[in-house]
Coordinates of all heavy atoms in Angstrom, one line a residue:
D222 N 166.1 119.8 120.0 CA 165.6 120.4 118.7 C 164.5 119.6 118.1 O 163.8 120.1 117.2 CB 166.7 120.6 117.7 CG 167.4 119.3 117.2 OD1 166.8 118.3 117.2 OD2 168.6 119.4 116.8
T223 N 164.3 118.4 118.7 CA 163.2 117.5 118.2 C 162.7 116.7 119.3 O 163.5 116.3 120.2 CB 163.8 116.6 117.1 OG1 164.3 117.3 116.0 CG2 162.7 115.6 116.5
A224 N 161.4 116.4 119.3 CA 160.8 115.6 120.4 C 159.5 114.9 119.9 O 158.8 115.4 119.0 CB 160.5 116.5 121.6
V225 N 159.3 113.7 120.4 CA 158.1 113.0 120.1 C 157.5 112.5 121.5 O 158.2 112.0 122.3 CB 158.3 111.8 119.2 CG1 157.0 110.9 119.1 CG2 158.9 112.2 117.9
A226 N 156.2 112.7 121.6 CA 155.5 112.3 122.8 C 154.3 111.4 122.4 O 153.6 111.7 121.5 CB 155.0 113.4 123.7
V227 N 154.2 110.2 123.1 CA 153.1 109.3 122.9 C 152.2 109.4 124.1 O 152.7 109.1 125.2 CB 153.5 107.9 122.7 CG1 152.4 107.0 122.4 CG2 154.5 107.8 121.5
L228 N 151.0 109.9 124.0 CA 150.1 110.1 125.1 C 148.9 109.2 125.1 O 148.3 109.0 124.0 CB 149.6 111.6 125.0 CG 150.6 112.7 124.8 CD1 150.0 114.0 124.7 CD2 151.6 112.7 126.0
E229 N 148.7 108.5 126.2 CA 147.5 107.7 126.3 C 146.4 108.5 126.9 O 146.5 109.1 128.0 CB 147.8 106.5 127.3 CG 146.7 105.5 127.5 CD 147.0 104.5 128.5 OE1 148.1 104.5 129.1 OE2 146.1 103.6 128.7
M230 N 145.3 108.6 126.1 CA 144.2 109.4 126.6 C 143.2 108.5 127.4 O 143.2 107.3 127.3 CB 143.4 109.9 125.4 CG 144.3 110.6 124.3 SD 145.3 111.9 124.9 CE 144.1 113.2 125.3
Q231 N 142.5 109.2 128.3 CA 141.6 108.4 129.2 C 140.5 107.7 128.4 O 140.0 106.6 128.8 CB 140.9 109.4 130.1 CG 140.1 108.7 131.3 CD 139.6 109.8 132.2 OE1 138.6 110.5 131.9 NE2 140.2 109.8 133.4
T232 N 140.2 108.2 127.2 CA 139.2 107.5 126.3 C 139.7 106.2 125.8 O 138.9 105.4 125.2 CB 138.9 108.4 125.1 OG1 140.1 108.6 124.3 CG2 138.3 109.7 125.6
G233 N 141.0 105.9 125.8 CA 141.6 104.7 125.2 C 142.4 105.1 124.0 O 143.2 104.2 123.5
A234 N 142.2 106.2 123.4 CA 142.9 106.6 122.2 C 144.4 106.9 122.5 O 144.8 107.2 123.7 CB 142.3 107.9 121.6
I235 N 145.2 106.8 121.5 CA 146.6 107.1 121.6 C 146.9 108.4 120.7 O 146.4 108.5 119.6 CB 147.5 106.0 121.0 CG1 147.3 104.7 121.9 CG2 149.0 106.4 121.0 CD1 147.8 104.8 123.3
A236 N 147.6 109.3 121.3 CA 148.0 110.5 120.6 C 149.5 110.6 120.4 O 150.3 110.3 121.3 CB 147.5 111.8 121.3
V237 N 149.9 110.9 119.2 CA 151.4 111.0 118.9 C 151.6 112.4 118.5 O 151.1 112.9 117.5 CB 151.8 110.0 117.7 CG1 153.3 110.2 117.5 CG2 151.4 108.6 118.1
L238 N 152.4 113.1 119.3 CA 152.8 114.5 119.0 C 154.3 114.6 118.7 O 155.1 114.2 119.5 CB 152.5 115.3 120.3 CG 153.0 116.7 120.3 CD1 152.5 117.6 119.2 CD2 152.7 117.4 121.7
S239 N 154.5 115.1 117.4 CA 155.9 115.2 117.0 C 156.2 116.7 116.7 O 155.4 117.4 116.0 CB 156.1 114.4 115.6 OG 155.8 113.1 115.8
V240 N 157.3 117.2 117.3 CA 157.7 118.6 117.1 C 159.1 118.7 116.8 O 159.9 117.8 117.2 CB 157.4 119.4 118.4 CG1 155.9 119.4 118.8 CG2 158.2 118.9 119.6
T241 N 159.5 119.7 116.0 CA 160.9 119.9 115.7 C 161.2 121.3 115.3 O 160.3 122.0 114.7 CB 161.4 118.9 114.6 OG1 162.8 119.1 114.4 CG2 160.7 119.2 113.3
H242 N 162.4 121.8 115.6 CA 162.9 123.0 115.1 C 164.0 122.8 114.0 O 164.6 123.7 113.5 CB 163.6 123.8 116.3 CG 162.6 124.6 117.1 ND1 163.0 125.1 118.3 CD2 161.3 125.0 116.9 CE1 161.9 125.7 118.9 NE2 160.9 125.7 118.0
A243 N 164.2 121.5 113.7 CA 165.3 121.1 112.8 C 164.8 120.5 111.5 O 165.4 119.6 110.9 CB 166.2 120.1 113.5
S244 N 163.6 121.0 111.0 CA 163.1 120.5 109.7 C 163.1 121.7 108.7 O 162.8 122.8 109.1 CB 161.7 120.0 109.9 OG 161.0 119.9 108.7
M245 N 163.5 121.4 107.5 CA 163.4 122.5 106.4 C 162.0 122.9 106.2 O 161.7 124.1 106.0 CB 164.0 121.9 105.2 CG 164.0 123.0 104.0 SD 164.7 122.3 102.5 CE 163.3 121.2 102.0
D246 N 161.1 122.0 106.2 CA 159.7 122.2 105.9 C 158.9 122.5 107.2 O 159.2 121.8 108.3 CB 159.0 121.1 105.2 CG 159.6 120.9 103.8 OD1 160.0 121.9 103.2 OD2 159.6 119.7 103.3
A247 N 158.0 123.4 107.2 CA 157.1 123.6 108.3 C 155.9 122.7 108.2 O 155.4 122.3 107.1 CB 156.6 125.1 108.3
R248 N 155.4 122.3 109.3 CA 154.2 121.5 109.4 C 153.3 121.9 110.6 O 153.8 122.4 111.6 CB 154.5 120.0 109.7 CG 155.2 119.3 108.5 CD 154.2 118.9 107.4 NE 154.8 118.1 106.4 CZ 155.5 118.6 105.3 NH1 155.7 119.9 105.2 NH2 156.0 117.8 104.4
D249 N 152.0 121.9 110.3 CA 151.0 122.3 111.4 C 149.7 121.5 111.1 O 148.7 122.0 110.6 CB 150.7 123.8 111.3 CG 149.7 124.2 112.3 OD1 149.5 123.6 113.3 OD2 149.0 125.2 112.0
S250 N 149.8 120.2 111.5 CA 148.7 119.3 111.1 C 148.1 118.5 112.3 O 148.8 118.2 113.2 CB 149.2 118.3 110.0 OG 150.2 117.5 110.6
V251 N 146.8 118.3 112.2 CA 146.1 117.4 113.2 C 145.3 116.4 112.4 O 144.5 116.8 111.5 CB 145.2 118.3 114.1 CG1 144.4 117.3 115.0 CG2 146.0 119.3 114.9
E252 N 145.5 115.1 112.7 CA 144.7 114.1 112.0 C 144.1 113.2 113.1 O 144.8 112.8 114.1 CB 145.6 113.2 111.1 CG 146.2 114.0 109.9 CD 147.1 113.1 109.1 OE1 148.2 112.8 109.5 OE2 146.6 112.6 108.0
V253 N 142.8 113.0 113.0 CA 142.0 112.2 114.0 C 141.5 111.0 113.3 O 140.8 111.1 112.3 CB 140.9 113.0 114.6 CG1 140.2 112.2 115.7 CG2 141.4 114.3 115.2
F254 N 141.8 109.8 113.8 CA 141.4 108.6 113.1 C 140.4 107.8 114.0 O 140.7 107.5 115.2 CB 142.6 107.7 112.9 CG 143.6 108.3 111.9 CD1 144.7 109.0 112.5 CD2 143.5 108.2 110.6 CE1 145.6 109.6 111.6 CE2 144.4 108.8 109.7 CZ 145.5 109.5 110.3
G255 N 139.2 107.5 113.5 CA 138.2 106.8 114.2 C 137.8 105.6 113.5 O 138.1 105.4 112.3
E256 N 136.9 104.7 114.1 CA 136.5 103.5 113.4 C 135.6 103.7 112.2 O 135.5 102.9 111.3 CB 135.8 102.6 114.4 CG 134.6 103.2 115.1 CD 134.0 102.3 116.2 OE1 134.1 101.0 116.0 OE2 133.4 102.8 117.1
Y257 N 134.9 104.9 112.2 CA 134.0 105.2 111.1 C 134.4 106.4 110.3 O 133.8 106.7 109.3 CB 132.6 105.5 111.6 CG 132.0 104.4 112.5 CD1 131.4 104.7 113.6 CD2 132.2 103.0 112.1 CE1 130.8 103.6 114.4 CE2 131.6 102.0 112.9 CZ 131.0 102.3 114.0 OH 130.5 101.3 114.8
G258 N 135.5 107.1 110.6 CA 135.9 108.2 109.9 C 137.2 108.9 110.3 O 137.8 108.5 111.3
T259 N 137.6 109.9 109.5 CA 138.9 110.6 109.7 C 138.7 112.1 109.6 O 137.9 112.5 108.7 CB 139.9 110.1 108.7 OG1 140.1 108.7 108.9 CG2 141.3 110.8 108.9
L260 N 139.4 112.8 110.4 CA 139.4 114.3 110.3 C 140.8 114.7 110.0 O 141.8 114.2 110.7 CB 138.9 115.0 111.6 CG 137.6 114.5 112.2 CD1 137.3 115.3 113.5 CD2 136.5 114.8 111.1
Q261 N 141.0 115.6 109.1 CA 142.4 116.1 108.8 C 142.3 117.6 108.7 O 141.5 118.2 107.9 CB 142.8 115.5 107.4 CG 143.0 114.0 107.4 CD 143.3 113.5 106.0 OE1 142.4 113.4 105.2 NE2 144.5 113.1 105.8
A262 N 143.2 118.3 109.4 CA 143.4 119.7 109.3 C 144.9 120.0 109.1 O 145.7 119.7 109.9 CB 143.0 120.4 110.6
D263 N 145.2 120.5 107.9 CA 146.6 120.7 107.5 C 146.7 121.8 106.4 O 146.3 121.6 105.3 CB 147.2 119.4 107.0 CG 148.7 119.5 106.7 OD1 149.3 120.6 107.1 OD2 149.2 118.6 106.0
P264 N 147.1 123.0 106.8 CA 147.6 123.4 108.2 C 146.4 123.8 109.1 O 145.4 124.4 108.6 CB 148.5 124.6 107.9 CG 147.9 125.2 106.6 CD 147.4 124.1 105.8
L265 N 146.6 123.6 110.3 CA 145.6 123.9 111.3 C 145.2 125.3 111.3 O 144.0 125.7 111.5 CB 146.1 123.4 112.7 CG 145.2 123.7 113.9 CD1 143.9 123.0 113.8 CD2 145.9 123.4 115.2
N266 N 146.1 126.2 111.2 CA 145.9 127.7 111.3 C 145.0 128.2 110.2 O 144.5 129.3 110.3 CB 147.2 128.4 111.3 CG 147.8 128.5 112.7 OD1 147.2 128.0 113.7 ND2 149.0 129.0 112.9
Q267 N 144.8 127.5 109.1 CA 144.0 128.0 108.0 C 142.5 127.7 108.1 O 141.7 128.3 107.5 CB 144.6 127.5 106.6 CG 145.9 128.1 106.2 CD 146.3 127.8 104.8 OE1 145.6 127.1 104.1 NE2 147.5 128.2 104.4
G268 N 142.2 126.6 108.9 CA 140.8 126.3 109.1 C 140.1 125.4 108.2 O 138.9 125.2 108.2
S269 N 140.9 124.8 107.2 CA 140.3 123.8 106.3 C 140.2 122.4 107.0 O 141.2 121.9 107.5 CB 141.1 123.8 105.0 OG 140.5 122.8 104.1
L270 N 139.0 121.8 106.9 CA 138.8 120.5 107.6 C 138.3 119.5 106.6 O 137.3 119.7 105.9 CB 137.8 120.6 108.7 CG 137.5 119.3 109.5 CD1 138.7 118.7 110.2 CD2 136.3 119.6 110.5
I271 N 139.1 118.4 106.4 CA 138.7 117.3 105.5 C 138.1 116.2 106.4 O 138.7 115.7 107.3 CB 139.9 116.7 104.7 CG1 140.6 117.8 103.9 CG2 139.5 115.6 103.9 CD1 141.9 117.4 103.2
I272 N 136.8 115.9 106.0 CA 136.1 114.9 106.8 C 135.8 113.7 105.9 O 135.2 113.9 104.8 CB 134.7 115.5 107.3 CG1 135.0 116.7 108.1 CG2 134.0 114.4 108.1 CD1 133.7 117.5 108.4
T273 N 136.3 112.5 106.3 CA 136.2 111.3 105.5 C 135.4 110.3 106.3 O 135.8 109.9 107.4 CB 137.5 110.7 105.0 OG1 138.3 111.8 104.4 CG2 137.3 109.6 104.1
T274 N 134.2 109.9 105.8 CA 133.4 108.9 106.5 C 133.0 107.8 105.4 O 133.3 107.9 104.2 CB 132.2 109.5 107.1 OG1 131.3 110.0 106.1 CG2 132.6 110.6 108.1
E275 N 132.2 106.9 105.8 CA 131.6 105.9 104.9 C 130.8 106.5 103.8 O 130.6 105.9 102.8 CB 130.8 104.8 105.7 CG 131.7 104.0 106.7 CD 130.9 103.1 107.6 OE1 129.7 103.4 107.8 OE2 131.4 102.1 108.1
Q276 N 130.3 107.7 104.1 CA 129.4 108.4 103.1 C 130.3 109.2 102.1 O 129.7 109.8 101.2 CB 128.5 109.4 103.8 CG 127.3 108.8 104.6 CD 127.8 108.0 105.8 OE1 128.5 108.5 106.6 NE2 127.3 106.7 105.9
G277 N 131.6 109.3 102.3 CA 132.4 110.0 101.3 C 133.3 111.0 102.0 O 133.5 111.0 103.2
R278 N 133.8 111.9 101.2 CA 134.8 112.9 101.6 C 134.2 114.3 101.3 O 133.7 114.6 100.3 CB 136.1 112.7 100.8 CG 137.2 113.7 101.2 CD 138.4 113.4 100.3 NE 139.6 114.2 100.6 CZ 139.8 115.4 100.0 NH1 138.9 115.9 99.1 NH2 140.8 116.1 100.3
R279 N 134.3 115.2 102.3 CA 133.9 116.5 102.1 C 134.9 117.5 102.8 O 135.6 117.1 103.7 CB 132.5 116.8 102.7 CG 132.3 116.7 104.2 CD 130.8 116.9 104.6 NE 130.6 117.1 106.0 CZ 130.5 116.1 106.8 NH1 130.6 114.8 106.4 NH2 130.3 116.3 108.1
V280 N 134.9 118.7 102.4 CA 135.8 119.7 103.0 C 134.9 120.9 103.5 O 134.0 121.4 102.9 CB 136.8 120.3 101.9 CG1 137.7 121.3 102.6 CG2 137.6 119.1 101.3
E281 N 135.2 121.2 104.8 CA 134.6 122.4 105.4 C 135.6 123.5 105.7 O 136.8 123.2 105.9 CB 133.9 122.0 106.8 CG 132.7 121.0 106.6 CD 132.1 120.6 107.9 OE1 132.5 121.1 109.0 OE2 131.1 119.8 107.9
Q282 N 135.1 124.7 105.8 CA 136.0 125.8 106.1 C 135.6 126.5 107.4 O 134.5 126.9 107.6 CB 136.0 126.9 105.0 CG 136.4 126.3 103.6 CD 137.8 125.8 103.6 OE1 138.7 126.3 104.3 NE2 138.1 124.8 102.7

Side-chain angles (χ1 to χ4, degrees):
D222 62 28
T223 304
V225 175
V227 181
L228 309 175
E229 181 186 2
M230 312 304 291
Q231 191 175 72
T232 62
I235 298 296
V237 181
L238 169 59
S239 304
V240 300
T241 185
H242 279 163
S244 167
M245 180 184 73
D246 293 329
R248 290 284 186 276
D249 177 27
S250 62
V251 177
E252 296 178 284
V253 182
F254 300 93
E256 57 181 332
Y257 305 136
T259 301
L260 305 178
Q261 295 172 287
D263 184 12
L265 176 62
N266 278 355
Q267 288 189 4
S269 180
L270 177 62
I271 300 173
I272 304 169
T273 306
T274 66
E275 294 172 338
Q276 285 71 47
R278 180 181 182 274
R279 69 182 189 274
V280 180
E281 296 181 358
Q282 301 298 331

